[in-house]
Amino acid sequence: MTDRRTFIKEMGAMAGLLTLAPWLKSCSSPEAAYAGEKARVALIGCGSRGQYHLVLLQGMAEAEVVALCDDYQPNLQAASAFFPKARLYSDYRKLLEDPQVDGVIIATPLGLHARMTLDALDAGKHVFCEKAMALTLEQCREVYEASRNTSKSLYYCMQRMFDEKYIRGVQLIREGLIGDVVGMRCHWFRNADWRREVPSPELERRINWRLYKEYSAGLMTELACHQLEVCNWTLDRMPTEIIGLGDIVYWKDAREVYDSVNVTYRYSNGCKITYESLISNKFNGMEDQILGKKGTMDLTRGVYYLEEDHLVSGMRQLLDQIRDGVFAAVPAAGPSWRPELRAAYVPHPVIEGSVSVNAGQSMVAADNDGSDLVLKAFCRSCISGEKPQNIVEEAYCATLLCLLGNQAMEEQRLIRFPEEYKIPYMKF
Amino acid sequence: MTDEGSYSPAQQLFHAVIPKVMGTRLEWITCGMKEKPARMLWERFSSWVSDASARLNRFDPSSEVSRLNSGECLEPSADVAALMDLGHRYKALTDGLFDVQSGGSLDFGGMAKGWALEKAKDLLERAGCSCAFLNFGGSSILALGTHPNGPAWQVALPDPFSGITLDLWNLKDAAMSVSGNVPGYTGHIENPLTGERITARRLTVAVDSSPLRAEVLSTALMISPERHWEQRFPSASMKCYNV
């Protein structure tokens, strides 16, 4: 595999890339620019995802983990094993008073994101927060406003924005490789109850927070959020209408969030995202497909498929020439081409070398999915003081779409994108 | 699956397609023929080629070739017997590098397309057609006469990895065969003498008046690009591209 740092640097040097993905700017500066400097970071929320970040931080030259916080003692102890010298807190507000902390990484349940982010920015800390942005539309707006009124950096762990195959894929789409984008199909299927083991019944809602509305907005914010962001990024616009159906189909275990969601997002040009997530069948896995008039980009796998191979278009050109009295060469030759059946579409890789593909089955993380690069960019921002571009906006847009999707399902009606939540960044 | 084709009287242009035959797509263009004979010719060829394709399909366990391969005691049909004969002849002519029985079982693969184009050429010539362009999946082309508006049929060969045009070939009363590896489909050609799968990013082209000979030569050149095949087959033009 290509060294991804090299890749991002090369990409950063390419004209136009920073227009496509301006958040890559800090990744494209040379390693040497940060030599010997360390961001003093703290982790709030030491569960599985938090501990995954700790593993990444262990190998990161720009980072020094100085403090850890969790109000659930077993997780705090487990995290402490990664960084034994880090100071331990059970109350994040106390941690925020620690002057030795430059930035905080928030990996708590969704319902806590907004409060903690706002408090951390208020305390003068840089913030890296897990997606989604917040549990409600109002909270999203509040966080968005706060991010505009602070000099501190705010990152969201929307790792697809830093994933090489997604970046290259979106770039190729923007260059017209698959023609006009006519639709998008994203889905995420698993066959698991989405539960964690609970040592004692009173901990059920805290440990299985994903299942309860007090902390979670369910599949939309936990899974769809990444995928909807990619669709907006690809089209460089936002949907105007949302409709959907959600149910608890299989896991009828007193959970409050849907285990089955089907949501359609319509853009002003009629192009739609068909979104589906189901956690009682995993056959279809996870896919982010962008459908174009001339081809299909499978961003999840980093490959594209063309609707017509050169043979078909070459022969069509030849017929047109004969009819129009023209003569020219036609691209009609090549090693044997196989027919246009779905299984026989030929995958073309968007990047050379092997690609890490996330099957979407882990509840924690996937390898090489860009998470490390988001974290690295965050640490660099803590050092340089430079705010990243467009990350808050992308997270705001994606989170709003998740929450509006839930609203459409709950109210069983078509939702138009609400005026009061529009921001200048959005194009419709 | 066979379509009836479409006819444009202004140019006396007839075009028809079989989306899947002999493992690929067949495009058929004739010019300068009246509608009725053009359609009759296509009907005759398309039914013959569909039938031959079914008999030669080694992925269908009930096909003649599959039954022969499974060791069934069977009298080969005239077509299959003819192909086996031709296969033996070309095996000898290529010092064993072209072998339809590589690995023990019959696989007429590319050879069948060349052979079908021989049949088509014969039918077209007998019908008095002197302007036609037939294309089996880009890898086996028969170009009779010239493009109605030009001095030849001009075919561009794109690099399957980059899409950039590698070369232009002018075809006039000639057949062109292309072999090689493409992204996602590599190593399908094997050296029958060593069992080695050819995985190089290489394309080979052979152009010859005989579609079958062109087919044999593009494969042989793919397996052994260093040999001076043109000395043994002076009627052919051949080229190898490392992509």
Side-chain angles (χ1 to χ4, degrees), chain A residues 43-268:
Chain A
L43 174 68
I44 304 174
C46 297
S48 54
R49 183 68 187 179
Q51 289 179 37
Y52 170 73
H53 289 313
L54 292 179
V55 172
L56 297 176
L57 288 162
Q58 279 183 320
M60 213 166 280
E62 294 94 334
E64 182 186 357
V65 177
V66 296
L68 302 165
C69 175
D70 205 302
D71 60 359
Y72 182 57
Q73 205 57 27
N75 282 355
L76 187 61
Q77 287 309 320
S80 173
F82 291 94
F83 291 95
K85 289 184 192 157
R87 293 179 289 285
L88 305 182
Y89 293 89
S90 58
D91 181 345
Y92 80 95
R93 282 162 297 201
K94 287 275 179 288
L95 181 147
L96 294 179
E97 290 169 8
D98 187 337
Q100 304 298 312
V101 172
D102 300 322
V104 295
I105 295 159
I106 299 172
T108 56
L110 174 64
L112 302 171
H113 285 185
R115 187 70 268 142
M116 289 178 166
T117 301
L118 293 166
D119 288 346
L121 292 175
D122 264 352
K125 309 298 184 194
H126 299 286
V127 177
F128 170 105
C129 186
E130 267 302 326
K131 61 87 199 115
M133 187 178 254
L135 186 59
T136 67
L137 300 172
E138 296 80 3
Q139 289 173 351
C140 287
R141 186 79 207 198
E142 209 180 334
V143 171
Y144 167 74
E145 297 296 347
S147 77
R148 290 169 55 81
N149 297 321
T150 176
S151 61
K152 299 296 166 189
S153 293
L154 174 55
Y155 278 76
Y156 283 93
C157 196
M158 310 279 280
Q159 59 266 23
R160 279 164 169 74
M161 297 165 71
F162 286 77
D163 186 329
E164 178 183 358
K165 58 185 179 293
Y166 279 84
I167 298 165
R168 189 75 91 190
V170 171
Q171 188 178 32
L172 291 169
I173 294 168
R174 295 272 190 96
E175 286 170 8
L177 179 78
I178 61 165
D180 289 342
V181 173
V182 292
M184 291 175 279
R185 289 172 63 96
C186 299
H187 53 245
W188 202 321
F189 294 95
R190 288 174 176 170
N191 196 345
D193 62 7
W194 220 17
R195 285 187 163 277
R196 297 291 167 90
E197 205 178 318
V198 178
S200 161
E202 75 276 8
L203 293 169
E204 162 65 13
R205 291 176 83 86
R206 283 178 67 197
I207 290 186
N208 283 316
W209 61 269
R210 288 179 181 80
L211 311 182
Y212 301 100
K213 289 182 177 174
E214 183 185 354
Y215 300 105
S216 167
L219 296 172
M220 296 309 292
T221 46
E222 294 308 306
L223 303 182
C225 193
H226 291 296
Q227 302 174 283
L228 298 174
E229 188 279 327
V230 166
C231 294
N232 296 334
W233 175 22
T234 301
L235 281 195
D236 194 23
R237 59 165 80 195
M238 282 283 283
T240 52
E241 291 165 328
I242 303 120
I243 193 162
L245 292 170
D247 295 278
I248 298 174
V249 170
Y250 183 83
W251 300 108
K252 298 177 196 288
D253 55 2
R255 70 182 57 202
E256 295 163 4
V257 301
Y258 302 132
D259 67 0
S260 159
V261 294
N262 291 58
V263 188
T264 302
Y265 294 86
R266 179 156 69 194
Y267 291 82
S268 59

Side-chain angles (χ1 to χ4, degrees), chain A residues 340-415:
Chain A
E340 300 163 70
L341 308 169
R342 185 167 196 254
Y345 269 86
V346 180
H348 305 274
V350 299
I351 43 182
E352 289 288 326
S354 64
V355 168
S356 295
V357 175
N358 177 10
Q361 300 306 307
S362 165
M363 273 175 70
V364 182
D367 289 339
N368 293 322
D369 68 351
S371 295
D372 57 338
L373 288 172
V374 197
L375 205 48
K376 191 183 181 73
F378 168 66
C379 291
R380 288 180 163 201
S381 279
C382 290
I383 296 168
S384 69
E386 200 175 336
K387 289 172 79 172
Q389 284 182 55
N390 297 5
I391 290 186
V392 172
E393 289 80 357
E394 289 290 317
Y396 177 83
C397 292
T399 305
L400 253 64
L401 291 186
C402 298
L403 299 175
L404 292 169
N406 276 338
Q407 190 187 339
M409 290 187 278
E410 274 157 24
E411 298 176 9
Q412 299 207 12
R413 66 183 180 93
L414 183 141
I415 305 273

